[in-house]
Each structure stands twice: as structure tokens, then as C-alpha cells.
Amino acid sequence: MHAHVCALLFAATRATARVAPYSRLNPAELGVDVVKRGKEQAPAADRWAAMEGAPDAAGSLARPTNAWWTNFVLGQGPSELENANGFAIPYVLWPAKRGISAGLPFVLAQANQIENGFDSTISFVTLGASDVRTGHRVARSDALSVSLEWEGTAAAPTAHAGAGGAGPHAHAPIVRGSPYLTMEYRGTTPFFDSAQSLDPQVGFAVDGEPGVCPGKFRGRRFEFVLVETDETWVVWSSHEVEVGCQTDGALLQAAAPLSDGVWRAALTNNCTLGRSAHHCRKSPPADPEPPIFADILEAHAVTYPISAEVDLHAAGDDAAVRIRWGTRTMGDGSNGGRGKPAPALLMSAMEHHRRMGLCGGAGGKAEMVDGVYQRNMNGGLSLVIANE
Ligand SMILES: *[C@@H]1O[C@H](CO)[C@@H](O)[C@H](O)[C@H]1NC(C)=O
């Protein structure tokens, strides 16, 4: 079990007289499972796509340090990659060999410490591409997003130009606050998997129809109920695809590369059958919870964030924070309904963001969704509909 301690994203909106210093205790002395890195402490030079080496407006070639995602580009070996995690909100994410892994945090509280726990052994999922080289690179980044890219192994380069070059690749825009995992495929083949087992009774559905794994299916919406975490995950594909599924560990594998497509995945229920140790109302066996967030996640799945613009504005004792998300829409449009405008972005906000008025306050255009989508050490996290 690897624990991850998260940092606050925003400072207080109102300058306070005197703030006590954060604890100076060494987490290791408190028994926190700290990461020991055997090798270099700085990202390797080959962790950056070429365009990241372009000078910025000030002519600087400096790369971001101490970003919330810096861990993603530290470490090389498999166990170091597992420790390369960051709290992307709402999921704890870490790069896998050929994709991005996600675990749901749960609160670990003791007398002298509180942390977001997660499990990188079994209780996570991975969205990736099966025909890419291991080793991800940063293609671009800003204050709230980072895009990772994997180079395809297909011999013939395709005609599709991507952010990192003209060859086949997979590209993951990771934007803090997105309740979905997103991967763009250019001549590469999607998969979604987990070390967990599919529930044998209700485990798998394709476009709303129950399916039996192992098997082959065609569709664009795939639903998984996982045994160990009791989580339901939905995978949306921009295009209808042929897939094979396996049950133990759960695997959804596309049969062919997507020339230009997107897969998205989101957790729709974390107490599906009443057996989650962390997220049901009482210890298992508990009552199953209805999937109250499934419809809203479905309705907004086609619009995804790729970047963020953050404006900070200070006047006297007050500070205004404005976030504008850069977006894309996946697929040929038929997923969202032809002719209809793309739905607004669905993001998430932590309790302290709401209290600071970051969501919908002072001219903001955000619409809050009722209910707590996820609990972490900062409190209840809610879904928010907003492009800014
Ligand atoms: C996940 O679990 C928390 C309780 O820990 C609950 O409040 C929340 O609604 C659940 N979210 C989903 C998507 O099921």
C-alpha cells in the first residue's frame, strides 16, 4: 500500500493575519510509507517530448519543477513508476508502462496524521494503448494540466500528425479535477484493464446489454463491475469498436487501432453491490448504492478537457481566481447526438474550492451537481458543470 499526501491547490482567498507553519515533523518518523528513490531525483531528459524544449515567451528553456505532476516523470523501473503518483482529483493517477493508472483515494486517519490512501496493487484500473513503446513523455503542461504521450510501435508511420510528431501515438490529457480518464489514439489500439476480477453475475455490459466474458463484442459503451473494489466503471469509445473481454483480471482490448479516436473511462459507482470496504455506508455486507452519478457522467462524456488557463487577480485583501478549461469533443458527433451542441465540461470541485467561491461564485458560470461524488482527506468532492 502506497500512501499519498496531497497538497492544497489554492491558497486562501483572503489574506489572514498570521498563519501557523505547517508541521515540521518528518513523515517517515510518523510511520508514513515514504517513497525512496534509488536513482536520480530529477526527471530524465527523455521524459520530455521535443516541443517541451521550445523556449517560452521569456526565452527560457526551464521545465516546471515541483508541479503537482512532477512525480509522474520521476522514476524509471516498474516499482518506481508505481510511486510516480499524483492526486489529479478525484483519482490518484500514475503512469503505467503503456497508459495511465487510476485508483480512488480513501481517507486514512490516525491520531497524529491523516492521508489519502490508495492501493496500487489490485484496486486500480488502467486506460492505455497496447501497441506503444513503454516510456511516456510530457507533451505539454500548464498549471492544472499535463499531457503524457506514448510512441506507437507500428512500423509504418500514419498520416496523422499528433502533438509529439507524425507517427502513431497515444496521448493522455490529464487535467486536475476531471472525473474521467481520457486517452487519444492516433493509429494505436486502446485497452482498459484492472488486476481486479469482473463480477461473474453482473460483470460486463456492452451498449447497455449484458455480455459474457471472455467474448468478442462490438459497441461504444462498456460497463464493468469489479469484485475487489465493488466499483462500476464505464468506458466510452468515440467510435464503434470491436473488442475482446477477459474476466480475471478484467480486460477490454480493442481488436484494431483507432486511426483518430478517443476512449474515456469514469467511475460511476463505488458501492455497486454493497461490498466496498471503504465507500459503502456501513461495513460490508452493506446495501448496494444506486448509481446516482451515472446519468450525468454519461451526458457529459463526449466533452473532455485538454488544458487550463488560470488567472489570478489580487485587489487589496481579496484575490480572484478564474479558471478556463480548454476542451475537445470526441468522436464523429453521433455520440452526443448529431447537430446538437457539445455538452459543457463535467469537472469536480473539492469542498474548500466551493467554500472559497471558486465554483459559481462571483460571476462564475459553474453549475453544481447535488451529492458527494467522492470523499478524500479534504472532505466531500462534488461534480461541477462548467467550461470556466
Ligand atoms: C463513493 O463513496 C462515497 C463515500 O465514501 C460516497 O459519498 C460517494 O457518493 C460514492 N461515489 C460514487 C460515484 O459512487
Side-chain angles (χ1 to χ4, degrees):
M1 175 99 36
H2 301 282
H4 172 74
V5 182
C6 104
L8 287 185
L9 185 53
F10 295 97
T13 45
R14 195 167 264 281
T16 38
R18 187 124 181 88
V19 180
Y22 285 113
S23 167
R24 295 196 179 96
L25 296 175
N26 178 352
E29 282 163 17
L30 295 173
V32 175
D33 186 9
V34 295
V35 175
K36 294 181 196 73
R37 292 200 190 281
K39 297 176 197 135
E40 284 86 34
Q41 305 290 313
D46 61 3
R47 277 273 180 257
W48 310 87
M51 62 178 291
E52 191 73 24
D56 66 16
S60 166
L61 282 166
R63 287 157 179 159
T65 54
N66 251 334
W68 59 272
W69 50 266
T70 300
N71 265 350
F72 293 173
V73 287
L74 295 176
Q76 294 289 351
S79 66
E80 289 194 341
L81 277 182
E82 278 172 23
N83 286 324
N85 60 72
F87 186 28
I89 311 171
Y91 308 115
V92 177
L93 299 186
W94 60 99
K97 287 185 180 168
R98 296 181 178 81
I100 191 88
S101 295
L104 199 65
F106 44 85
V107 179
L108 290 174
Q110 292 162 34
N112 57 0
Q113 67 185 78
I114 178 166
E115 51 188 306
N116 277 332
F118 65 100
D119 171 20
S120 59
T121 316
I122 304 264
S123 302
F124 66 97
V125 299
T126 302
L127 177 65
S130 49
D131 45 4
V132 291
R133 282 181 231 287
T134 63
H136 52 283
R137 290 182 301 176
V138 173
R140 64 168 302 287
S141 68
D142 57 42
L144 295 176
S145 83
V146 61
S147 290
L148 303 183
E149 209 160 86
W150 289 260
E151 195 187 332
T153 51
T158 64
H160 303 281
H169 65 273
H171 182 100
I174 298 169
V175 181
R176 269 196 129 177
S178 175
Y180 307 81
L181 307 176
T182 307
M183 189 72 84
E184 297 176 328
Y185 300 91
R186 301 286 182 273
T188 47
T189 309
F191 76 84
F192 175 84
D193 77 1
S194 176
Q196 302 173 62
S197 316
L198 269 182
D199 181 86
Q201 304 301 318
V202 298
F204 185 61
V206 179
D207 294 341
E209 297 294 324
V212 177
C213 287
K216 285 197 191 311
F217 300 89
R218 281 196 77 81
R220 58 196 307 166
R221 182 191 182 279
F222 307 94
E223 189 169 309
F224 289 82
V225 178
L226 300 168
V227 172
E228 286 80 354
T229 51
D230 201 22
E231 291 170 1
T232 303
W233 281 81
V234 174
V235 176
W236 293 271
S237 173
S238 56
H239 299 79
E240 191 178 286
V241 280
E242 191 187 325
V243 295
C245 72
Q246 279 174 28
T247 165
D248 194 18
L251 169 69
L252 183 70
Q253 172 69 59
L258 280 174
S259 64
D260 184 359
V262 181
W263 276 25
R264 299 195 84 198
L267 171 99
T268 56
N269 195 344
N270 58 25
C271 175
T272 308
L273 295 170
R275 61 190 168 200
S276 166
H278 298 291
H279 297 291
C280 293
R281 273 173 221 267
K282 63 183 187 75
S283 296
D287 290 331
E289 294 289 335
I292 53 171
F293 298 102
D295 290 350
I296 192 107
L297 288 159
E298 186 81 40
H300 295 265
V302 298
T303 304
Y304 62 93
I306 52 166
S307 61
E309 227 180 274
V310 183
D311 287 340
L312 295 168
H313 193 82
D317 268 359
D318 282 320
V321 182
R322 184 167 179 206
I323 303 169
R324 249 165 301 188
W325 308 107
T327 64
R328 265 184 210 146
T329 311
M330 75 177 188
D332 50 18
S334 63
N335 222 1
R338 266 179 227 285
K340 278 193 235 147
L345 203 58
L346 184 67
M347 299 295 283
S348 57
M350 300 217 268
E351 211 165 293
H352 57 277
H353 298 158
R354 296 197 304 275
R355 270 195 257 114
M356 284 185 223
L358 254 174
C359 315
K365 293 168 193 151
E367 185 190 324
M368 303 294 306
V369 176
D370 283 343
V372 169
Y373 177 74
Q374 184 247 65
R375 277 192 195 290
N376 57 61
M377 70 175 210
N378 301 100
L381 173 136
S382 320
L383 298 181
V384 189
I385 302 168
N387 283 4
E388 67 177 83

